[in-house]
Amino acid sequence: MLSRIAESLFWIGRYVERAEDTARILDVQFHRLLEDPWIDEDAACRGLLDVMGVPIPKTDHLGALEVCEQLAYNPTSPCSIVGALSAARDNARGAREAISSEMWECLNATWYALPEQVAAARNVGPHGLFRFVKERVSIMGGLSSSTLSRDDGWRFLVLGGSLERVDMTARLLSARWGDAAGSPGWVTTLRCCSAHEAYLRTYRRAVDASLVAEFLLLDRLFPRSVFHALSTAEACLAELDPLTTRSGLDDEARRILGRARTELEFRRASELLRDLPSHLARIQGACSEAAVAVAERYFRQTAPIEWTA
Amino acid sequence: MPRKRLRNTRPRSIGWVGDLLDTYVEARSRSGAWDEMFGDSGDPRPPYRALLETLQSLSGSDLEERCVARDRSFRDQGITFSLSGEERPFPLDLVPRIISAEEWAIVEAGVAQRVRTLERFLADIYGPGEILVDGVVPRHLVTTSTHFHRAAYGITPPNGVRVHVAGIDLIRDVDGRFKVLEDNLRTPSGVSYVVENRRTMARVFPELFTSHRVRPVAGYPARLLEALRAAAPAGAGDPTVVVLTPGVFNSAYFEHSFLARQMGVELVEGRDLVCRDGIVRMRTTEGEQRVDVVYRRVDDDYLDPLHFRPESLVGCPGILNAARAGNVTIANAVGNGAGDDKLVYTYVPDMVRYYLGEEPILDNVATYRLDDPDQLAWVTAHLDELVLKPVDGSGGYGLVVGPSASDADLARLRTAVIADPRAWIAQPVIALSTAPTQIGDHLVPRHIDLRPFAINDGESIWVAPGGLTRVALPEGSLVVNSSQGGGSKDTWVLAGAERGPSDEVVAARASAGHRPPAGQRPDPGPAGGSATQQQQQQQQQQQQQQRHQC
């Protein structure tokens, strides 16, 4: 398939996942800000913007409202929900023939509905917007899963989504590190990943810091764990380039992800937890490097040649 | 703490609360009851000032939008109850009930004291019976209680806890003092609505929370799970806890599934359990798995057909013998009903003095004991002024409010009371406190009560901050039970000066010198808006125009 199309699909996957994860995170954090009487709102908001990699505005007091402006309503930032969905739609517009028309319609209709949703969110509270985004992204996921052939295009789409998911989960965990083991913040982290109920069913006990980290990093069965998403991304890469060499690999991205995955898989949980921040930083780094390697290998485009007189 | 800001405040032309204040104050003075929001002078009480201010900045259409969002949220989540065969969203009133930290401290201490006392009482009557020997509580009173089960005699729970969960119903009298209306030690329900009400309020009415510091209630299921695990028989290293429900057709099924989901444990029906050799197991795809603690939401009568109703299909035959053998813990324990019998209730203040050597923190409501012939005679002559309650009832069933009952009803009641005086108690009509409640597009005073929930894990008794506030929706009605058409309110306990868990975290972080690493910028997408791309775009557009010109 065309490199340009492949790149668009990869980024549709990433942006859609980014929009969904951001909506999940904000939905939980926003209501925690309201409901927790002891929270330091300014510090919590700064922490949230920081972990999402958004520059922190220079004001005396940051509130939930400003965080929503930055991470949800901002139409130009690729880190905000509206920005990410717009970018996904832009990419889909150039790749309409490669995705099913239902997928395009879904993204397009979502994009058209955003202004109204944002206006309502500003007026009566943002929960409706978050819910809308989660639902639309789920429809998008369902449509791509039921209408796309499992060809390379599908693989780039899933690859992008998986890498973004690894990145987001790693960000969430690194925000929490240093909190007391029984802190309610760990429940918030689980709920941000929609993992609270799955966690409870797995461990059947109150939330504990090291178990949460273990669950979100290493669980083999939960689809939002770092391990699960890394494995999915790796599988996509393996299918994209099924030829294996006699020794080693010649796919740089696969090498990077495989190394990150084995770092997790073959380490004791206690060992990981002792030095969690640096492990998380490595995982995030691996995601970025892998994305670059994928781009190098598959999306190589020559810059347009300008003929000058 | 700086005030949290959520929305851009904009001037409103019409404040819907403002319009209603005159009628509200007038209506509340007519009822003569204690009003939660306004003092006698018509000024808002301190805990309600900020709420009133926020409400006054809203318009009627705002309120309408919230109502729609609230109903849709409850309906979509399946939080409904059936009233006369019709499924309706759970009735949550949009104006919260607020309790100050100082008032709550009294409630908390009083409820814990009460639960501690009743725990001692149950251990006593199902064991040595000292209080009966000492004559503080008459023996015949306990043995004639419908819910006193001889089958439970001599069963000692592993950590001594029989009342794992208690719901103590409180009301506020005309002077604003909290009083205990009844105790629920069997399977008090409603806690799922406490948690869901809060969640829904935060979603549909976020701005109400911005000027308050409300203590969270979402930790309840985790507390319950810890208490249930602590109650497991000795030797169960990693105890298996299950919630036993009568099934999907039970009116409280939502709550059963809510608790199981929030605790991450299995929700079982009687047919999923099998009891053999004094051990309870559940049938799973991986064979039978041993169960250590059963948090049952099935009444005693239906729990074990070997001991109680033989026709029960929702229980687990043999579970009581397994509990007696010390192989499983039943929570709440069998036979707790003897402690919340409404005639036994009249003795609770004496029990507090007897067992704890303390004065009761929360008083009882004045109650006539009808097994005393003098009191019986007086009560039967004054039925039209009193509230009559069956001693073993719950959910407001069988309750008769004298002043609003017909003559025929009163005659029937008189016959029933004289035939079996042990089965009834009488109380004066108490004007429950009132709180502003939305009816149509107005706020009007309606009577409310409060059911705080307490969890006993054997070490301490934890009272969830808040509880279920129930509202009697018809004007002047004093019956708040949801099975009788009552509504509910989100109940806010304001945070006092004490430090919360988040503060501990901040302190721990500060002392450890910990700073979370700065987040990396997210990967940017393919360069958009670059000069060459813009040029490409322009050329693409030009191509189009040329084609159209052809």
Side-chain angles (χ1 to χ4, degrees):
Chain A
M1 69 188 311
L2 285 174
S3 288
R4 178 175 55 79
I5 299 293
E7 184 169 26
S8 287
L9 286 169
F10 178 82
W11 280 100
I12 292 171
R14 284 200 81 153
Y15 282 131
V16 168
E17 180 73 27
R18 190 177 288 177
E20 183 196 357
D21 291 354
T22 310
R24 285 180 191 282
I25 291 168
L26 283 180
D27 196 15
V28 174
Q29 295 283 5
F30 182 82
H31 288 104
R32 169 135 192 266
L33 284 177
L34 293 183
E35 289 179 51
D36 186 339
W38 296 292
I39 207 163
D40 175 353
E41 193 186 20
D42 182 63
C45 291
R46 276 171 207 278
L48 184 56
L49 286 182
D50 190 43
V51 77
M52 301 301 278
V54 173
I56 298 167
K58 289 187 176 47
T59 53
D60 292 340
H61 179 72
L62 260 184
L65 195 70
E66 285 80 1
V67 168
C68 282
E69 287 294 336
Q70 292 283 334
L71 288 178
Y73 314 147
N74 186 338
T76 52
S77 159
C79 307
S80 84
I81 296 174
V82 171
L85 285 175
S86 306
R89 173 187 177 261
D90 285 347
N91 275 288
R93 194 156 63 155
R96 276 178 71 169
E97 74 285 0
I99 59 175
S100 67
S101 54
E102 283 161 281
M103 286 169 69
W104 158 248
E105 227 179 280
C106 173
L107 274 178
N108 201 32
T110 306
W111 186 75
Y112 273 112
L114 280 174
E116 194 190 320
Q117 291 287 337
V118 168
R122 285 203 172 106
N123 198 21
V124 298
H127 173 66
L129 170 72
F130 301 145
R131 189 194 166 104
F132 169 79
V133 170
K134 284 191 280 184
E135 279 175 5
R136 294 305 295 184
V137 169
S138 302
I139 293 176
M140 181 69 187
L143 284 175
S144 55
S145 141
S146 59
T147 60
L148 272 192
S149 303
R150 298 306 193 259
D151 57 8
D152 283 356
W154 159 263
R155 288 177 195 121
F156 280 113
L157 188 76
V158 175
L159 176 63
S162 305
L163 281 182
E164 188 69 28
R165 190 173 280 188
V166 172
D167 182 65
M168 284 297 214
T169 310
R171 278 171 196 280
L172 266 178
L173 275 174
S174 58
R176 196 57 58 202
W177 195 242
D179 276 13
S183 156
W186 289 100
V187 179
T188 313
T189 303
L190 281 173
R191 289 179 54 209
C192 284
C193 304
S194 299
H196 189 211
E197 291 173 9
Y199 170 92
L200 286 171
R201 287 197 71 79
T202 308
Y203 294 103
R204 293 171 190 277
R205 72 191 63 184
V207 170
D208 169 270
S210 54
L211 289 181
V212 173
E214 183 183 294
F215 186 73
L216 288 181
L217 276 179
L218 295 176
D219 195 84
R220 281 177 211 279
L221 304 182
F222 186 67
R224 290 186 169 273
S225 79
V226 169
F227 178 86
H228 195 282
L230 269 179
S231 308
T232 310
E234 231 186 316
C236 289
L237 285 171
E239 285 170 23
L240 281 170
D241 179 17
L243 291 176
T244 46
T245 49
R246 177 81 178 254
S247 60
L249 286 167
D250 60 357
D251 183 355
E252 189 59 26
R254 210 172 140 195
R255 196 179 356 246
I256 294 165
L257 291 185
R259 209 159 50 212
R261 196 246 313 147
T262 42
E263 275 282 302
L264 289 179
E265 194 175 7
F266 299 110
R267 250 181 223 282
R268 281 180 225 283
S270 58
E271 224 176 305
L272 281 175
L273 294 171
R274 215 175 304 132
D275 195 17
L276 192 65
S278 65
H279 282 289
L280 291 171
R282 264 206 295 281
I283 290 168
Q284 272 179 268
C287 283
S288 291
E289 284 173 40
V292 171
V294 168
E296 289 260 307
R297 169 156 184 186
Y298 293 107
F299 311 149
R300 195 173 304 153
Q301 293 179 32
T302 50
I305 302 163
E306 291 179 57
W307 299 91
T308 46
Chain B
M1 191 184 84
R3 200 177 141 131
K4 299 180 210 165
R5 191 165 67 94
L6 180 70
R7 47 190 281 156
N8 301 311
T9 39
R10 47 200 153 114
R12 300 276 188 180
S13 49
I14 307 161
W16 57 277
V17 178
D19 291 347
L20 292 164
L21 277 182
D22 302 340
T23 59
Y24 187 89
V25 170
E26 193 257 324
R28 68 143 296 225
S29 59
R30 219 179 325 129
S31 82
W34 171 272
D35 190 75
E36 298 283 339
M37 192 184 243
F38 295 101
D40 289 331
S41 59
D43 293 332
R45 297 186 194 279
Y48 279 91
R49 279 187 195 140
L51 174 71
L52 192 65
E53 206 176 286
T54 316
L55 288 177
Q56 277 166 332
S57 73
L58 296 168
S59 75
S61 68
D62 271 347
L63 186 69
E64 187 56 38
E65 268 175 57
R66 313 306 163 111
C67 290
V68 172
R70 170 199 64 192
D71 290 348
R72 194 189 308 125
S73 166
F74 275 124
R75 201 199 52 214
D76 289 354
Q77 291 178 72
I79 309 174
T80 56
F81 78 108
S82 53
L83 191 64
S84 332
E86 194 191 340
E87 284 290 304
R88 298 204 185 161
F90 184 70
L92 165 65
D93 187 70
L94 283 179
V95 183
R97 188 248 186 101
I98 304 183
I99 301 174
S100 70
E102 298 76 38
E103 290 172 316
W104 181 251
I106 298 170
V107 171
E108 198 173 25
V111 167
Q113 181 191 54
R114 196 134 179 136
V115 174
R116 203 172 297 122
T117 303
L118 289 164
E119 193 71 81
R120 292 277 294 272
F121 174 69
L122 287 170
D124 199 3
I125 60 169
Y126 287 111
E130 285 162 6
I131 197 168
L132 310 178
V133 174
D134 291 342
V136 179
V137 175
R139 183 179 296 273
H140 69 88
L141 180 72
V142 172
T143 52
T144 54
S145 170
T146 353
H147 296 296
F148 178 74
H149 291 306
R150 281 165 185 81
Y153 183 84
I155 298 183
T156 314
N159 64 343
V161 178
R162 285 183 172 79
V163 186
H164 303 82
V165 179
I168 308 292
D169 289 355
L170 306 177
I171 58 157
R172 248 176 161 178
D173 65 10
V174 287
D175 301 320
R177 273 176 312 192
F178 281 103
K179 289 192 166 176
V180 178
L181 191 63
E182 61 181 69
D183 308 291
N184 296 279
L185 310 179
R186 285 171 276 171
T187 52
S189 67
V191 75
S192 57
Y193 299 124
V194 174
V195 179
E196 290 293 344
N197 280 356
R198 177 65 52 81
R199 210 161 76 106
T200 306
M201 283 293 284
R203 283 178 172 185
V204 304
F205 235 148
E207 56 268 57
L208 289 189
F209 287 82
T210 54
S211 43
H212 296 87
R213 308 202 308 160
V214 186
R215 291 181 60 187
V217 292
Y220 180 91
R223 289 271 187 167
L224 178 59
L225 181 61
E226 285 310 308
L228 292 174
R229 288 170 63 93
D238 185 10
T240 303
V241 178
V242 298
V243 179
L244 174 63
T245 172
V248 289
F249 297 109
N250 188 273
S251 61
Y253 183 76
F254 165 74
E255 175 152 312
H256 307 159
S257 69
F258 170 87
L259 288 173
R261 190 173 67 236
Q262 292 287 314
M263 294 195 290
V265 304
E266 227 62 63
L267 178 63
V268 301
E269 295 179 23
R271 55 190 170 171
D272 299 322
L273 294 179
V274 52
C275 186
R276 206 180 305 119
D277 306 328
I279 292 174
V280 178
R281 298 185 175 86
M282 57 180 167
R283 298 189 176 94
T284 74
T285 50
E286 285 151 18
E288 290 177 356
Q289 191 192 337
R290 182 166 174 165
V291 171
D292 302 296
V293 182
V294 178
Y295 179 52
R296 51 81 179 234
R297 299 299 296 259
V298 175
D299 292 343
D300 283 355
D301 277 353
Y302 290 90
L303 182 63
D304 188 343
L306 293 187
H307 285 279
F308 308 112
R309 288 179 176 233
E311 76 274 20
S312 167
L313 299 174
V314 295
C316 170
I319 190 170
L320 194 57
N321 287 346
R324 182 182 296 283
N327 292 331
V328 70
T329 303
I330 302 174
N332 289 357
V334 171
N336 278 7
D340 63 19
D341 179 291
K342 290 195 178 69
L343 193 50
V344 171
Y345 153 90
T346 61
Y347 291 89
V348 174
D350 296 331
M351 291 179 203
V352 175
R353 294 179 198 109
Y354 177 79
Y355 288 118
L356 307 181
E358 298 170 5
E359 277 304 303
I361 298 169
L362 295 173
D363 289 334
N364 271 5
V365 168
T367 305
Y368 299 96
R369 296 171 181 159
L370 303 186
D371 52 351
D372 175 342
D374 294 344
Q375 297 199 9
L376 177 65
W378 191 87
V379 165
T380 46
H382 295 85
L383 282 181
D384 56 341
E385 300 164 19
L386 299 166
V387 179
L388 270 281
K389 295 176 179 174
V391 292
D392 56 352
S394 62
Y397 288 103
L399 176 151
V400 181
V401 181
S404 57
S406 68
D407 288 347
D409 283 344
L410 289 178
R412 250 196 310 274
L413 178 67
R414 185 170 295 117
T415 321
V417 169
I418 291 169
D420 187 5
R422 168 69 181 86
W424 296 86
I425 55 154
Q427 291 171 339
V429 178
I430 305 154
L432 311 183
S433 59
T434 55
T437 303
Q438 180 217 347
I439 303 282
D441 54 0
H442 286 266
L443 285 189
V444 290
R446 287 293 183 259
H447 295 290
I448 59 171
D449 79 343
L450 175 65
R451 174 181 284 184
F453 291 89
I455 293 177
N456 185 0
D457 64 5
E459 303 274 315
S460 62
I461 292 165
W462 177 73
V463 185
L468 188 63
T469 293
R470 297 180 296 178
V471 191
L473 292 176
E475 185 170 7
S477 167
L478 294 168
V479 185
V480 294
N481 306 78
S482 55
S483 45
Q484 313 288 320
S488 76
K489 280 174 172 292
D490 190 14
T491 308
W492 292 5
V493 172
L494 299 183
E498 84 274 30
R499 280 151 54 105
S502 315
D503 284 335
E504 288 162 30
V505 174
V506 175
R509 268 188 173 181
S511 64
H514 173 87
R515 285 196 56 77
Q520 302 169 8
R521 293 273 304 161
D523 292 341
S530 69
T532 43
Q533 263 206 345
Q534 279 173 7
Q535 205 180 342
Q536 270 183 344
Q537 262 178 28
Q538 278 169 10
Q539 288 178 9
Q540 284 175 9
Q541 286 164 3
Q542 284 162 9
Q543 291 287 313
Q544 235 168 4
Q545 284 158 5
Q546 281 168 10
R547 249 205 319 274
H548 284 297
Q549 281 161 4
C550 294

